[in-house]
């Protein structure tokens, strides 16, 4: 046989005997070898290669190549095939040019480094020596693979051939032969799922910063698609496939990945039916419990799966069904009145509903299957078809058990599992499975028509659940981590109500508890985020808490609707709601549902149920009083509408007790206004005396709000009190008192304009002077927000007469230091004579002179302001502002000339500027050119 060195000199790949550590001892036959292929799966394979030393040297060279090729492991054979079999070497050259041979040489020479595997993506660097006189070349290689096959390759050598290049071969062989030296990482999707929002944001920003020229357009396009509602990218789940850790547990990991790929279509619809987690369990059972699996194989799978469960990367999907833990303490009712019965700890360590093997569901379906009528061909899975109909069942006797039937047993088994007190498992998937199993079981029960025999079973089982102690979810002892009974109780309540209302209400009221919230927030106290699902931040284990709260609300709504017309049960249900439901958003929904049920279109309203709705609305108002959101306005309007439906007394009650329900703004702008609109008064159909009583209550409310929050409530109070002189005077006095207490000039100007609009100019003038007293406009604030208000106040005082104008001039001088504003006011006042006084008599026949009282003081103030402002601007003026300053001096000259000696004053002013700022030669030159 030709020695291995001779084969390598001809370019043939090294055989398995050369790679084996015991090559000398193993001559003559191959060895079994477990090799990890490129799809993340270790496959134990054996090849037998008969060594024919005598004949090998005598066969033709192409045959030798084939013999060597088939001596490779399967994964290496594929790489060789896709890189070399179709490669025709140039005439006269041997196999050294073949990509597989070159890649093998690169591997053996240590040219492969920085190998990293992230999920199903392999990357590394290949350093290839250059030709004589040329530097070494570095190539970056990337390989993607899936299910035992390479799916795509990328290499820096830009190979465009059909076959793999030598660099891809080198990296692939490195992964096969040195699997334990490859750095392995979870898929990037798993890494991203472990990051919080800030870490994700930082990750994306650094990624874009590092490769902005390459990824920025793609990043922008993806961001635009994500922000577009209904786009295709928003219809895809962001969670990637499960990442696995390589090593001795690769077979278990590959099995998990295989099952997940089989379950993945469950997110889509198959023939109109969604594949549920039930199908997922079926796949696992089919694989693990296959009849073709040998006992030793089952034992091996159990060992591998147990080892996988202990790894850090294994997700908490099935959860921990045990009650062991320091936080699992029982929640006792007052001493989802009561005495503790039986044991204080739970002995059943796992829940039957939501269990991975679904024992209750399997048994219930099996029993129901035996009771179906022969002609029925519908499936037992209610969600499997677009159309739903009742499945016909019959009582089938149980052999050897007189009086028993499979249908009765199915009902008892389902209620036994649903009513079991059990801990909510950890993990989102496991918690979602609990909910799904409950819904599937109840959907099956709803398909069964209850006859008298089944009703008696229901009554018996309901009584047992109420007396079941700590073993029952309906017992008096309930643990904090227990799964709530809301969904089951809703079914039992609906089924029992026609036959035993007392038992139905007792059972449903007992199930209203949600102990995980009761231990955190005492009854009646709000939580920190009142309008959201409340425990997401405080109890991160309870991933489905929002769903559970919604089910609790649905149970309460069902009881309220059923209790319509029965005051006793209505008030009992109300007490349970107030004690057990802590989310204001859900309480508000209950109040709306109750109000809608109480006011049918074709029947008289149920006043008791309306009162319940109002009481729930009042509780929501108290709970959210200090939480300002957009929903508050909606709630306040609804509450006023509900009180209106009840009657004027209810409306007046919320007005009289507004301080514990509403903010001053809500009370003054929504409650008082809505409660006295024309539509409301027509709805109430009040006589004159009762209408005036309601108006008086609204005015009192408005005045109280104005005193508490004059800035926001003074104007609504004045508007509401317009038709009552004493109330209007009281509101006006509140505004005057608030002005002394710090009511801002903007609010005072607003109220003053309102007074003028209502035909009360003197009161408007009074408020305007109070506003001016609080105002201060600096020399450079000619665009101040209050400029228009000041000009309006000056126009108002001018229209009232000389007396009012004289009184406001000192306020203008004290508050306004802006020269253009002062000169504008002065010119406006000199254009026409002062207007009519309060008695309608014109007090002046001709316009006022600027050099005479009271305008002379304003003229002096304007001149002084121009002088001061000029010096201030010249201190830090730049050449680009010279033109603006010259225009400013032009306006100043117009104001100076209003005085008898204004020409002389302006000349002296200019001379002073020339002497003081003679260093600014260019500016002074411009001054001389313009003004001389």
């Amino acid at each position: 046989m030709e020695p291995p060195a001779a084969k390598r000199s001809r370019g043939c790949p090294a055989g398995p005997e050369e790679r084996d550590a015991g090559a000398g001892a193993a001559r003559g036959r191959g060895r079994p070898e477990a090799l990890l292929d490129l799809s993340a799966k270790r496959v134990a394979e054996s090849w037998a290669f008969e060594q024919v030393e005598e004949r090998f040297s005598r066969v033709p060279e192409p045959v030798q190549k084939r013999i060597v090729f088939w001596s490779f492991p399967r994964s290496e054979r594929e790489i060789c095939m896709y890189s070399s079999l179709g490669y025709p070497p140039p005439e006269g050259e041997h196999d050294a040019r073949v990509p597989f041979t070159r890649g093998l040489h690169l591997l053996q020479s240590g040219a492969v480094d920085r190998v990293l595997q992230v999920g199903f993506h392999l990357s590394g660097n290949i350093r290839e020596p250059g030709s004589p006189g040329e530097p070494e070349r570095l190539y970056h290689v990337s390989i993607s693979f899936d299910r035992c096959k390479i799916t795509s390759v990328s290499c820096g050598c830009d190979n465009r051939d059909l076959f793999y290049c030598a660099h891809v071969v080198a990296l692939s062989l490195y992964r096969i032969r040195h699997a334990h030296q490859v750095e392995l990482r979870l898929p990037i999707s798993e890494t991203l799922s472990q990051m919080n929002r800030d870490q994700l944001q930082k990750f994306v920003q650094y990624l874009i910063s590092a490769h902005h020229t390459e990824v920025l357009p793609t990043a922008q396009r993806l961001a635009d698609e994500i922000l577009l509602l209904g786009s295709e990218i928003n219809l895809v789940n962001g969670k990637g496939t499960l990442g696995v850790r390589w090593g001795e547990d690769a077979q278990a990991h590959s099995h998990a990945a295989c099952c997940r790929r089989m379950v993945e279509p469950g997110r889509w619809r198959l023939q109109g039916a969604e594949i549920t987690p039930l199908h997922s369990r079926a796949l696992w059972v089919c694989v693990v419990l296959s009849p073709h699996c040998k006992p030793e194989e089952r034992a091996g799978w159990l060992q591998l799966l147990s080892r996988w469960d202990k790894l850090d990367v294994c997700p908490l999907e099935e959860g921990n069904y045990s009650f062991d833990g320091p936080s699992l303490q029982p929640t006792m009712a007052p001493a989802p009145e009561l005495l503790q019965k039986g044991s204080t700890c739970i002995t059943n360590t796992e829940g039957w509903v939501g269990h991975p093997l679904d024992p209750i569901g399997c048994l219930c379906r099996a029993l129901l299957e035996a009771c179906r009528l022969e002609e029925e061909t519908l499936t037992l899975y209610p969600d499997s078809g677009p159309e739903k109909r009742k499945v016909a069942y019959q009582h089938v006797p149980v052999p050897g058990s007189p009086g028993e039937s499979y249908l009765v047993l199915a009902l008892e088994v389902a209620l036994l599992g649903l009513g079991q007190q059990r801990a909510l498992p950890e993990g989102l998937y496991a918690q979602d499975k609990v909910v799904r199993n409950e819904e599937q079981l109840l959907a099956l029960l709803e398909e069964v028509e209850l006859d008298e025999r089944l009703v008696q079973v229901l009554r018996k089982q309901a009584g047992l659940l109420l007396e079941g102690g700590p073993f029952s979810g309906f017992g008096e002892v309930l643990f904090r981590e227990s799964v709530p009974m809301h969904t089951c109780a809703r079914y039992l309540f609906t089924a029992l109500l026609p036959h035993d209302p007392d038992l139905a209400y007792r059972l449903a009221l007992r199930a209203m508890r949600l102990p995980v919230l009761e231990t955190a927030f005492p009854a009646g106290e709000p939580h920190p985020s009142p309008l959201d699902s409340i425990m997401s931040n405080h109890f991160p284990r309870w991933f489905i808490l929002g769903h559970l709260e919604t089910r609790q609300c649905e149970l309460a709504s069902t009881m309220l609707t059923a209790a319509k017309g029965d005051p006793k049960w209505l008030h009992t249900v109300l007490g349970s709601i107030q004690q057990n439901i802590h989310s204001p958003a859900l309480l508000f929904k209950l109040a709306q549902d109750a109000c809608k049920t109480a006011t049918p279109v074709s029947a008289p309203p149920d006043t008791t149920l309306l009162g319940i709705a109002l009481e729930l609305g009042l509780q929501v108002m108290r709970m959210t009083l200090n939480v300002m959101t957009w929903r508050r306005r909606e709630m306040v309007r609804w509450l006023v509408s509900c009180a209106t439906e009840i009657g004027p007394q209810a409306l007046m009650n919320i007005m009289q007790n507004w301080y514990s329900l509403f903010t001053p703004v809500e009370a003054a702008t929504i409650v008082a206004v809505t409660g006295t609109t024309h539509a409301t008064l027509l709805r109430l159909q009040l006589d004159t005396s009762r209408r005036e009583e309601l108006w008086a209550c609204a005015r009192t409310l408005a005045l109280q709000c104005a005193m508490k929050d004059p800035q926001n409530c003074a104007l609504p109070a004045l508007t509401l009190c317009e038709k009552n002189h004493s109330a209007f005077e009281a509101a006006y006095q509140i505004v005057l008192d608030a002005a002394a207490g710090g009511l801002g000039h903007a609010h005072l100007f607003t109220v003053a304009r309102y007074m003028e609009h209502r035909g009360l100019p003197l009161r408007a003038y009074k408020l305007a002077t109070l506003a001016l007293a609080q105002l201060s406009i600096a020399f450079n604030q000619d665009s101040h927000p209050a400029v228009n208000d000041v000009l309006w106040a000056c126009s108002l005082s001018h229209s009232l007469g000389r007396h009012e104008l004289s009184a406001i001039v000192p306020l203008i001088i004290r508050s306004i230091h802006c020269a253009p504003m002062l000169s504008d006011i002065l010119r406006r006042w000199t254009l026409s004579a002062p207007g009519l006084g309060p008695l309608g008599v014109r007090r002046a026949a001709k316009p006022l002179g600027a050099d005479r009282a009271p305008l002379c003081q304003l003229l002096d103030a304007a001149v002084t302001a121009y002088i001061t402002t000029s010096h201030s601007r010249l201190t830090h003026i730049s050449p680009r502002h010279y033109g603006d300053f010259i225009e400013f001096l032009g306006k100043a000259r117009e104001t100076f000339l209003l005085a008898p000696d204004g020409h002389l004053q302006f000349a002296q002013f200019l001379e002073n500027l020339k002497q003081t700022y003679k260093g600014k030669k260019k500016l002074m030159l411009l001054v001389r050119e313009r003004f001389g």
Side-chain angles (χ1 to χ4, degrees):
M1 177 177 179
E2 186 177 17
K7 288 192 294 181
R8 287 199 302 274
S9 67
R10 296 202 325 269
C12 295
E17 74 282 358
E18 187 177 359
R19 296 192 299 272
D20 196 353
R27 297 182 63 85
R29 113 184 130 191
R31 60 180 180 87
E33 185 177 25
L35 295 173
L36 189 64
D37 65 17
L38 296 182
S39 67
K41 178 180 179 185
R42 174 174 291 174
V43 181
E45 294 180 339
S46 300
W47 291 271
F49 175 64
E50 297 295 336
Q51 306 288 354
V52 283
E53 299 183 9
E54 303 85 356
R55 300 179 181 178
F56 190 83
S57 60
R58 295 199 295 268
V59 299
E61 183 174 345
V63 178
Q64 293 184 16
K65 292 181 183 178
R66 293 178 179 272
I67 292 175
V68 173
F69 170 76
W70 286 107
S71 71
F72 293 157
R74 187 186 69 180
S75 53
E76 295 192 17
R77 290 204 309 266
E78 292 178 355
I79 297 171
C80 180
M81 178 176 65
Y82 284 109
S83 63
S84 303
L85 288 185
Y87 186 90
E91 186 71 24
E93 294 188 14
H94 51 71
D95 290 349
R97 297 289 298 171
V98 175
F100 185 88
T101 306
R102 292 175 52 210
L104 183 64
H105 177 72
L106 289 172
L107 173 67
Q108 295 171 344
S109 63
V112 183
D113 65 349
R114 303 195 68 175
V115 180
L116 173 67
Q117 181 169 332
V118 180
F120 300 112
H121 181 81
L122 183 70
S123 63
N125 291 339
I126 311 297
R127 300 182 180 275
E128 185 175 26
S131 303
E134 295 183 0
E136 180 184 67
R137 287 169 290 184
L138 178 66
Y139 300 104
H140 181 73
V141 182
S142 298
I143 300 176
S144 298
F145 47 89
D146 182 29
R147 281 170 279 189
C148 309
K149 299 293 182 182
I150 294 178
T151 57
S152 64
V153 298
S154 173
C155 181
C157 70
D158 294 330
N159 175 54
R160 295 294 181 268
D161 200 351
L162 177 64
F163 304 99
Y164 299 154
C165 65
H167 315 108
V168 171
V169 172
L171 181 61
S172 304
L173 293 178
Y174 186 95
R175 178 62 183 87
I176 295 172
R177 299 188 180 185
H178 307 288
H180 295 286
Q181 299 180 18
V182 176
E183 184 179 1
L184 297 170
R185 299 288 179 84
L186 291 174
I188 192 64
S189 60
E190 292 292 331
T191 305
L192 294 177
S193 67
Q194 299 172 13
M195 297 183 182
N196 57 30
R197 182 182 183 279
D198 293 337
Q199 291 172 328
L200 284 171
Q201 191 173 25
K202 183 184 296 184
F203 172 80
V204 174
Q205 290 174 341
Y206 272 84
L207 179 64
I208 294 176
S209 176
H211 306 282
H212 64 282
T213 57
E214 295 89 354
V215 305
L216 187 57
T218 303
Q220 184 62 53
R221 177 179 59 81
L222 292 176
D224 294 340
E225 292 183 8
I226 289 175
L227 293 177
L228 179 63
L229 294 178
S231 62
E232 182 177 357
I233 195 172
N234 285 321
L235 302 178
V236 180
N237 196 333
K239 178 69 175 176
T241 54
L242 175 67
V244 296
R245 177 177 295 180
W246 302 93
E248 60 183 0
D249 301 303
Q251 296 181 43
H253 303 166
S254 178
H255 177 63
C258 178
C259 285
R260 288 190 177 281
R261 284 195 297 269
M262 295 171 71
V263 179
E264 186 67 19
R267 298 183 181 179
W268 305 93
R269 296 198 172 267
L270 179 62
Q271 297 179 353
E274 183 179 359
I275 296 183
T276 65
L278 180 65
H279 300 81
S280 171
R281 284 195 304 276
L283 290 174
W284 278 102
V285 171
C286 290
V287 174
V288 180
L289 301 184
S290 169
H292 305 289
C293 184
K294 298 178 181 179
E296 55 271 19
E297 292 176 328
R298 288 197 182 98
W301 276 116
L302 177 61
Q303 181 181 6
L304 290 173
L305 290 172
S306 300
R307 193 176 304 163
W308 159 247
D309 183 64
K310 296 177 182 177
L311 294 177
D312 295 336
V313 296
C314 180
L316 292 176
E317 291 189 341
E318 301 304 337
N320 177 15
Y321 293 82
S322 170
F323 269 88
D324 300 332
S327 63
L328 303 182
Q329 301 298 326
T331 300
M332 296 298 298
E337 303 168 5
L338 301 177
L339 296 176
Q340 179 178 353
K341 294 184 178 181
S343 173
T344 57
C345 64
I346 290 185
T347 57
N348 40 320
T349 58
E350 61 184 11
W352 298 328
V353 175
H355 191 279
L357 298 180
D358 191 19
I360 298 296
C362 292
L363 184 55
C364 183
R365 291 184 181 92
L367 293 171
L368 287 176
E369 180 70 25
C371 302
R372 293 176 62 188
L373 292 178
E374 300 249 339
E375 60 269 24
E376 283 293 335
T377 58
L378 295 178
T379 178
L380 284 180
Y381 301 103
D383 296 333
S384 62
E387 299 181 359
K388 293 185 179 180
R389 330 183 279 209
K390 288 267 186 189
V391 181
Y393 297 103
Q394 61 182 349
H395 287 279
V396 177
V398 179
S401 300
E404 291 282 2
S405 78
Y406 289 123
L407 192 58
V408 168
L409 291 180
L411 182 60
E412 289 179 345
V413 165
L415 295 180
L416 182 66
L418 290 168
Q420 178 200 26
Q421 182 169 183
R422 56 197 184 274
L424 187 72
E426 296 181 359
L428 174 59
Y429 179 78
Q431 293 179 14
D432 181 70
K433 184 159 56 177
V434 169
V435 173
R436 284 179 176 269
N437 282 172
E438 282 187 348
E439 293 174 348
Q440 290 165 359
L441 275 174
L442 291 173
L444 283 177
L445 295 183
E446 289 172 352
E447 294 291 332
V448 179
E449 292 188 2
L450 298 176
D451 55 17
E452 184 60 30
R453 189 175 179 184
L454 294 180
V455 169
Q456 294 305 318
V457 173
L458 273 181
R459 297 178 69 174
K460 177 184 175 182
Q461 291 298 320
L464 292 176
L465 289 173
L466 287 173
E467 301 297 329
F471 297 93
S472 170
F474 293 87
E476 294 178 343
V477 179
L478 198 62
F479 285 73
R480 175 183 175 274
E481 298 283 332
S482 294
V483 176
M485 297 287 110
H486 307 135
T487 310
C488 176
R490 188 182 179 196
Y491 165 77
L492 289 173
F493 177 81
T494 304
L496 286 171
L497 188 64
H499 310 284
D500 194 340
D502 184 72
L503 179 60
Y505 277 107
R506 286 174 54 209
L507 194 76
L509 291 170
R510 182 73 65 82
M512 278 291 293
R513 299 169 296 182
L514 191 54
V516 70
L517 304 187
E518 294 171 8
T519 56
F521 300 102
E525 292 190 8
H527 47 74
S529 302
L531 296 180
D532 301 323
S533 182
I534 70 177
M535 301 288 30
S536 57
N537 294 326
H538 298 274
F539 295 91
R541 283 191 62 241
W542 288 65
F543 298 103
I544 59 170
L545 184 62
H547 175 83
L548 297 178
E549 286 185 288
T550 302
R551 291 292 181 258
Q552 183 188 36
C553 177
E554 291 174 354
L555 174 60
S557 180
T558 301
M559 287 195 289
L560 282 176
T561 302
K564 180 181 178 182
D566 191 332
K568 171 195 169 184
W569 284 121
L570 279 176
H571 286 95
T572 304
V573 174
L574 172 63
S576 178
I577 291 173
Q578 292 176 325
Q579 180 180 359
N580 294 293
I581 297 184
H582 304 276
S583 172
L586 295 179
L587 286 172
F588 181 57
K589 183 180 184 304
L590 278 175
Q592 290 178 306
D593 292 344
C595 183
K596 184 177 180 180
T597 304
T599 55
V601 178
S602 58
D606 187 312
T607 55
T608 305
L609 188 53
L610 267 178
I612 298 294
L614 180 64
E615 184 59 36
L616 290 174
L618 294 176
Q619 182 177 349
V620 172
M621 292 295 101
R622 286 189 288 267
M623 293 174 69
T624 60
L625 179 59
N626 298 319
V627 182
M628 291 296 102
T629 68
W630 62 270
R631 294 211 66 186
R632 277 282 300 186
R633 299 183 67 85
E634 174 192 356
M635 293 175 176
V636 173
R637 290 192 181 94
W638 177 88
L639 190 69
V640 175
S641 175
C642 182
T644 303
E645 290 291 336
I646 296 177
Q649 190 58 49
L651 193 56
M652 288 188 286
N653 284 340
I654 66 172
M655 289 184 181
Q656 292 166 356
N657 299 293
W658 71 269
Y659 46 84
S660 63
L661 303 172
F662 315 109
T663 64
V665 175
E666 291 171 344
T669 61
I670 301 178
V671 179
V673 174
T674 307
T676 55
T677 59
H678 183 67
T680 302
L681 296 176
L682 286 179
R683 175 69 176 167
L684 294 174
Q685 297 181 349
L686 302 177
D687 56 24
T688 305
S689 60
R690 292 288 284 171
R691 181 174 298 190
E692 181 55 35
E693 184 181 2
L694 181 60
W695 268 108
C697 189
R699 288 192 294 265
T700 302
L701 165 64
L703 292 174
Q704 292 173 347
C705 294
M707 293 181 64
K708 196 169 184 65
D709 186 4
Q711 283 192 340
N712 298 309
C713 300
L715 188 56
L718 286 166
T719 304
L720 199 66
C721 297
E722 279 181 355
K723 298 180 180 179
N724 187 279
H725 178 72
S726 60
F728 188 82
E729 290 296 324
Y732 176 65
Q733 188 60 44
I734 289 174
V735 175
L736 295 179
D737 296 340
L743 187 62
H745 61 81
H747 293 88
L748 288 171
F749 276 127
T750 301
V751 179
R753 287 176 180 263
Y754 163 79
M755 288 293 184
E756 184 195 31
H757 181 70
R758 304 308 299 171
L760 301 169
L762 288 180
R763 292 193 173 185
Y765 172 79
K766 173 65 175 177
L767 293 173
T769 58
L770 293 175
L772 284 172
Q774 297 185 12
L775 185 62
S776 178
I777 299 181
F779 71 91
N780 59 348
Q781 291 183 304
D782 47 355
S783 59
H784 192 279
V787 168
N788 290 332
D789 288 327
V790 171
L791 296 177
W792 168 83
C794 294
S795 176
L796 174 65
S797 62
H798 185 264
S799 66
L800 289 176
R802 181 166 182 167
H803 176 74
E804 288 74 16
L805 188 145
S806 301
I808 206 174
V809 167
L811 291 175
I812 295 293
I813 294 174
R814 188 183 312 122
S815 302
I816 312 299
H817 306 286
C818 179
M821 279 191 66
L822 290 172
S823 61
D824 189 15
I825 295 171
L826 185 62
R827 279 192 294 271
R828 287 170 181 257
W829 279 348
T830 57
L831 291 177
S832 62
L836 295 175
L839 300 180
V841 180
R842 183 174 294 276
R843 296 186 175 183
K846 60 180 181 179
L848 297 175
D851 57 337
R852 300 179 61 184
L855 300 188
C856 60
Q857 299 175 3
L858 185 60
L859 177 59
D860 293 340
V863 169
T864 302
Y866 271 113
I867 294 173
T868 303
T869 304
S870 297
H871 286 289
S872 177
R873 294 182 64 173
L874 285 172
T875 303
H876 302 290
I877 195 170
S878 62
R880 61 178 179 172
H881 294 138
Y882 285 174
D884 294 338
F885 183 73
I886 296 300
E887 295 299 323
F888 178 78
L889 288 181
K891 295 180 180 178
R893 180 171 63 176
E894 295 175 0
T895 303
F896 273 79
L897 293 179
L898 292 176
D901 56 347
H903 181 75
L904 181 59
Q905 290 186 38
F906 187 70
Q908 292 175 349
F909 169 58
L910 289 181
E911 189 62 30
N912 180 270
L913 291 181
K914 295 174 184 177
Q915 293 298 324
T916 305
Y917 304 98
K918 57 184 177 181
K920 301 181 183 295
K921 297 181 180 179
K922 183 176 180 180
L923 177 59
M924 293 302 109
L925 178 61
L926 293 176
V927 171
R928 291 189 183 93
E929 290 178 352
R930 177 72 177 272
F931 305 105

